[in-house]
Amino acid sequence: MTTIQSFGMKIAIHPSEISYSNKWIEYCQIKNLSFCIVNCYRSDIIDQIADCDILMWHYHHKDSRDMIVAHQLLSAIENAGKTVYPDSNTRWFFDDKVGQKYLLEAIGAPLVPSYVFYSKKDALSWVKQTSFPKVFKLRKGSGSANVRLVRNSKEAFRIVFKAFRSGFRQYDPVEGLLERWRIFRRGASDLTDLFEGIGRFIVKTRFEKIAGRERGYVYFQDFIDGCAFDVRTTVIGDKCYAFKRMVRKNDFRASGSHDDIFSPEEIPLEIIQMSFQISDKLKLQSVAFDFLITKENQPLITEMSYAFGWEEGDADAYWDKDLNYNNKPFNPFGEMVETVIRQAENKTGKR
């Protein structure tokens, strides 16, 4: 167990190669914060964090172990009085688009009109009277995975019958291979990645084997016509970072396109303000929103998540809560650490 000692809070960090953990560790080292490395998969995790005030675990939606244990373990530790990241307010809707629909509707947030059905009869009745196109989504998935444009009622009927019969794989090998090919043509991957995509037609991922198929419900959203991009905003504390993501060529989806525009003048301040307001209302430690803008210039949220891709590392600029644009860098991972430290101090009175 690696530990650095300093005054104040002690932070437990669960490490992973596909998480923010290395950035958290680096920040703690730079700031001389007391932290230790723990293993949340071990049966003695409660003993491991006995002398810690905080547990930080960036659990991943594609790691089968994470999805089995993370929510329950973090809830148990919260109930014991410790501070965790992500906390219950921040994480409960993670990788659950249906849960996000209920949450955003409950607080009156501007959600793309969304529809969920838990019986074949209700779903078929709705298909017969609704208009098309619509967007079909599974609860789980990121980067536009498990998202499909439904052009007419015939396609919708097929989806409904499948949803209440065999269900859907967590990973669509056809869509996955097409996406790998798109990335390969851009020079951002190699032949090994392509061959792995071909193999997914036969060999399921570990996550797929454990999670099983998605069935027993069907979820649609209205198709917002004329959108050449979406806007991704990320709020952590009193800072918001935002950029445009362009839609893929000959497609309607922007998430995961990796065709991004970082021009502050192209981001409506209304979206920044809205992101702060929703984050504050829901008491979120961190959140990323995906916005579409209608032809009437109305911003609508499609999805939200506590976690987000940040391949480029630190942000070059951000908006504050007064909607001022600050042309200076900030470290989102450091902001997460500072956020949970403030929460723990407020809870325990430590300084």
Side-chain angles (χ1 to χ4, degrees):
M1 183 177 291
T2 303
T3 305
I4 284 183
Q5 296 294 338
S6 70
F7 296 105
M9 296 289 157
K10 185 176 180 182
I11 305 170
I13 298 175
H14 175 86
S16 167
E17 292 301 317
I18 55 171
S19 78
Y20 308 145
S21 58
N22 287 340
K23 294 289 187 178
W24 293 336
I25 291 168
E26 179 183 323
Y27 185 82
C28 289
Q29 290 172 334
I30 291 172
K31 296 294 184 179
N32 195 33
L33 300 174
S34 178
F35 77 94
C36 64
I37 305 302
V38 298
N39 185 345
C40 287
Y41 302 139
R42 279 175 38 183
S43 183
D44 66 346
I45 180 59
I46 301 301
D47 290 336
Q48 290 180 57
I49 64 170
D51 64 341
C52 297
D53 304 281
I54 297 164
L55 171 64
M56 301 187 71
W57 181 8
H58 173 201
Y59 67 94
H60 201 279
H61 65 287
K62 290 185 179 179
D63 189 308
S64 56
R65 293 180 300 175
D66 287 9
M67 298 312 290
I68 289 173
V69 68
H71 180 65
Q72 290 79 2
L73 174 61
L74 291 170
S75 294
I77 294 169
E78 275 188 282
N79 277 290
K82 297 181 185 290
T83 299
V84 302
Y85 176 87
D87 64 13
S88 54
N89 287 339
T90 304
R91 73 174 180 270
W92 76 262
F93 53 82
F94 176 54
D95 202 32
D96 186 346
K97 298 177 182 65
V98 175
Q100 294 162 27
K101 161 189 153 61
Y102 294 137
L103 176 60
L104 293 171
E105 288 177 343
I107 65 171
L111 171 71
V112 171
S114 303
Y115 316 89
V116 62
F117 304 96
Y118 302 101
S119 78
K120 182 172 67 175
K121 178 181 177 181
D122 290 343
L124 293 175
S125 176
W126 176 81
V127 169
K128 291 175 183 177
Q129 56 83 34
T130 195
S131 59
F132 290 90
K134 287 287 190 284
V135 177
F136 163 71
K137 297 182 175 184
L138 295 181
R139 289 188 310 122
K140 301 177 181 295
S142 63
S144 292
N146 305 328
V147 177
R148 187 186 311 173
L149 185 64
V150 184
R151 295 174 177 81
N152 52 55
S153 59
K154 184 178 180 180
E155 292 181 8
F157 282 134
R158 284 200 297 266
I159 286 173
V160 169
F161 280 112
K162 187 171 183 178
F164 292 97
R165 288 178 179 171
S166 62
F168 300 90
R169 286 184 61 175
Q170 299 281 351
Y171 179 87
D172 183 340
V174 175
E175 184 61 39
L177 184 58
L178 290 173
E179 180 66 8
R180 289 171 190 263
W181 174 246
R182 184 184 71 85
I183 295 173
F184 176 77
R185 291 183 64 185
R186 292 182 57 184
S189 68
D190 55 25
L191 285 173
T192 301
D193 188 63
L194 276 180
F195 285 126
E196 182 178 320
I198 295 171
R200 287 287 170 250
F201 283 84
I202 302 171
V203 181
K204 294 181 179 180
T205 64
R206 173 184 170 85
F207 175 75
E208 264 200 287
K209 293 176 182 177
I210 293 177
R213 298 173 76 90
E214 288 284 299
R215 65 180 74 174
Y217 74 95
V218 66
Y219 179 59
F220 296 95
Q221 286 186 329
D222 279 354
F223 173 67
I224 307 301
D225 193 21
C227 293
F229 62 89
D230 73 4
V231 176
R232 159 62 64 89
T233 66
T234 302
V235 177
I236 308 172
D238 59 358
K239 297 179 176 65
C240 179
Y241 180 71
F243 59 96
K244 289 170 61 172
R245 304 184 298 186
M246 305 308 294
V247 167
R248 296 169 170 85
K249 185 178 180 181
N250 301 320
D251 203 333
F252 72 100
R253 299 167 301 173
S255 177
S257 70
H258 303 289
D259 185 4
D260 306 327
I261 297 177
F262 300 87
S263 298
E265 62 274 8
E266 297 191 35
I267 306 298
L269 283 180
E270 178 185 6
I271 289 180
I272 303 298
Q273 183 177 45
M274 194 178 297
S275 299
F276 276 126
Q277 289 172 342
I278 297 172
S279 177
D280 286 347
K281 187 167 188 175
L282 297 177
K283 298 180 173 60
L284 305 178
Q285 294 167 318
S286 67
V287 63
F289 296 106
D290 296 341
F291 285 89
L292 294 177
I293 301 176
T294 68
K295 293 178 179 178
E296 296 75 30
N297 288 320
Q298 179 186 7
L300 298 174
I301 299 171
T302 60
E303 298 175 17
M304 58 190 292
S305 172
Y306 90 86
F308 43 87
W310 209 289
E311 293 83 1
E312 63 275 4
D314 298 349
D316 294 325
Y318 63 90
W319 284 266
D320 59 34
K321 286 193 172 182
D322 293 325
L323 305 184
N324 297 313
Y325 186 71
N326 297 267
N327 196 11
K328 55 185 179 181
F330 86 102
N331 179 346
F333 315 106
E335 290 289 332
M336 293 172 186
V337 174
E338 295 295 342
T339 294
V340 294
I341 288 176
R342 286 193 297 270
Q343 289 180 326
E345 288 176 344
N346 290 335
K347 186 181 298 184
T348 65
K350 278 189 179 182
R351 288 295 188 273

